[in-house]
Amino acid sequence: MQENTSLPITEDRFMKTFKYFKSNKPKPSLKDVITAEKCSDHQVINITANTVIEDPRAELLGLKNLREWQVFTLKKHPGLLFIRNPFTALGQRYWIRKCLEEYPKKPNKLNIDIEITLEDWWRECFRNGECEKQLQKKLRWTTLGYHHNWDTKVYTESNKSKFPEDLAELSDVLAKYLGYSDFTAEAAIVNYYHMNSTLSAHTDHSEVNLKAPLFSFSFGQSAIFLIGGRDKSVEPSALLINSGDIVVMSKEARLCYHAVPKILPAVDSPWDVLDTEIIMPDSKNINFKYISQSEDIMLSMKENIDNKWHRFKDYIKESRINMNVRQVLNENQTSILMQ
Ligand code: SIN
């Protein structure tokens, strides 16, 4: 995934900006960091559609009514879309919990596999009742579907597990909303960040299909996200990403360099703002494309309202989680071998 070019340091504007925001002493100024609030600014355009077709799946997946979504693009980075937190508070809890309790389980791959193979990382963290902080901190990524191979950067049929139905459904709702009727979620990397974590400059180019967009969902603490150009000489723009925000890398932006130089404490914790009375969505008459057992979602949502939530809350108050979802294959391609 990571591609290093050896530009003279003066021409590597991406690295210069990365180092600026990464620095703790002196602390970077955030005055030029783009936020959705600055949408009247010359840098950001609000491209929210006026007419939106409702999707009955949205509520059960923890999403707000599609008519409430707000979509922006950056003038300097066509193809880079930013959707300002379209999740409900319960939706935020649902996805945070999934990323911690469900996805870092076998047969999915974890960064800690090289050190220790755990069937169920989250359960192991609480094996003795108390939270084992050291083990909890070790998790940096989990891969789903076609597993990203960090050495070869090549996806293979032999290194693949079932893609989670709920995440496929969430991606499908988003894809349809954006007009991508043929998008299929086939691979994802879930990144886990602590307050001092960074992610260096890279492009995502391992997928056979580079025309399909890449969807990036973030929860928990905030981050500065840098988006540059096709090479590192292009000065990147810095974007503030808060819990629930979605970044879409499509078209010209799909192969651009990006990075996370800094995690920042979240000003708000939208996962905490539950309405006093939650009415559970009615899943009976909803047609899902991928989900076979909507009862599992309902159960998990209910558990997030009551006593089961506190362990996830403790984790997320000092961490950030990012799930980035890709389509790997071309349309009508059923296997990576069929190129
Ligand atoms: C990535 O590019 O892999 C993750 C970006 C993010 O954490 O926002």
Side-chain angles (χ1 to χ4, degrees):
M1 196 168 93
Q2 222 133 292
E3 193 183 68
N4 288 317
T5 54
S6 46
L7 285 170
I9 199 80
T10 45
E11 286 178 33
D12 192 341
R13 295 191 180 87
F14 200 107
M15 181 57 96
K16 216 172 144 199
T17 311
F18 184 89
K19 283 187 175 158
Y20 174 77
F21 283 110
K22 186 182 171 197
S23 165
N24 284 323
K25 272 188 195 157
K27 281 203 184 312
S29 160
L30 304 184
K31 85 172 172 24
D32 292 329
V33 175
I34 300 167
T35 66
E37 286 76 27
K38 289 186 197 163
C39 71
S40 56
D41 197 87
H42 62 283
Q43 293 167 304
V44 185
I45 318 169
N46 186 334
I47 53 161
T48 309
N50 290 331
T51 48
V52 175
I53 300 169
E54 250 332 302
D55 191 322
R57 298 171 296 171
E59 196 183 5
L60 199 77
L61 293 162
L63 291 163
K64 293 177 193 161
N65 188 311
L66 269 56
R67 292 201 186 93
E68 289 176 43
W69 291 22
Q70 291 176 294
V71 189
F72 304 91
T73 188
L74 305 188
K75 267 197 185 156
K76 260 177 73 184
H77 304 275
L80 192 283
L81 309 181
F82 174 84
I83 305 177
R84 189 186 197 171
N85 178 23
F87 291 91
T88 62
L90 204 51
Q92 296 226 2
R93 289 191 184 192
Y94 177 81
W95 292 106
I96 290 167
R97 181 172 175 161
K98 276 282 163 158
C99 289
L100 295 172
E101 191 181 40
E102 208 55 48
Y103 300 156
K105 267 187 194 169
K106 290 290 144 215
N108 297 332
K109 308 251 161 148
L110 283 61
N111 66 304
I112 50 180
D113 289 346
I114 47 163
E115 201 184 313
I116 177 172
T117 306
L118 300 173
E119 270 305 307
D120 180 336
W121 164 80
W122 185 255
R123 198 183 56 201
E124 206 61 37
C125 286
F126 291 94
R127 195 151 64 108
N128 301 319
E130 293 285 293
C131 170
E132 268 204 53
K133 281 264 179 198
Q134 234 185 336
L135 180 61
Q136 208 174 53
K137 286 229 150 176
K138 276 188 182 167
L139 186 68
R140 290 304 316 272
W141 54 258
T142 298
T143 52
L144 316 171
Y146 278 105
H147 298 292
H148 182 77
N149 185 320
W150 302 84
D151 301 321
T152 64
K153 323 269 188 268
V154 176
Y155 293 110
T156 56
E157 288 302 318
S158 56
N159 192 16
K160 169 185 167 185
S161 45
K162 191 175 181 311
F163 194 89
E165 287 179 342
D166 53 0
L167 187 52
E169 202 81 53
L170 175 73
S171 305
D172 192 64
V173 171
L174 174 61
K176 295 272 168 0
Y177 173 83
L178 296 171
Y180 290 98
S181 51
D182 297 318
F183 182 88
T184 311
E186 292 167 328
I189 302 176
V190 185
N191 290 303
Y192 304 86
Y193 297 86
H194 309 301
M195 295 314 286
N196 57 358
S197 307
T198 59
L199 181 72
S200 54
H202 64 277
T203 59
D204 294 303
H205 53 261
S206 302
E207 296 70 31
V208 179
N209 186 339
L210 294 169
K211 294 227 155 54
L214 184 151
F215 298 147
S216 176
F217 306 89
S218 296
F219 298 101
Q221 301 307 303
S222 301
I224 293 178
F225 177 81
L226 297 182
I227 176 73
R230 294 284 286 261
D231 65 69
K232 290 185 184 169
S233 67
V234 177
E235 189 168 343
S237 301
L239 189 62
L240 181 71
I241 301 184
N242 292 318
S243 191
D245 292 345
I246 303 176
V247 169
V248 177
M249 296 179 70
S250 69
K251 300 180 183 151
E252 297 98 305
R254 176 62 180 80
L255 287 170
C256 286
Y257 273 94
H258 54 286
V260 177
K262 181 77 114 206
I263 304 297
L264 296 167
V267 173
D268 301 312
S269 14
W271 55 89
D272 270 339
V273 196
L274 280 188
D275 292 328
T276 40
E277 205 193 335
I278 304 274
I279 300 161
M280 293 307 289
D282 182 0
S283 62
K284 276 200 280 303
N285 301 316
I286 303 176
N287 287 325
F288 295 104
K289 189 167 169 190
Y290 298 99
I291 293 175
S292 49
Q293 293 281 317
S294 60
E295 290 75 19
D296 292 352
I297 295 197
M298 301 294 279
L299 183 68
S300 169
M301 291 256 195
K302 280 196 183 117
E303 286 177 343
N304 288 338
I305 302 173
D306 57 37
N307 58 350
K308 293 265 173 63
W309 167 249
H310 68 276
R311 284 183 175 171
F312 306 100
K313 179 179 168 147
D314 282 349
Y315 180 94
I316 209 64
K317 73 176 185 229
E318 46 193 34
S319 314
R320 172 177 185 262
I321 301 175
N322 172 268
M323 324 188 271
N324 54 84
V325 177
R326 308 106 196 270
Q327 171 163 342
V328 174
L329 305 177
N330 283 321
E331 223 181 291
N332 303 326
Q333 192 183 353
T334 50
S335 148
I336 213 116
L337 303 167
M338 219 185 109
Q339 289 183 46

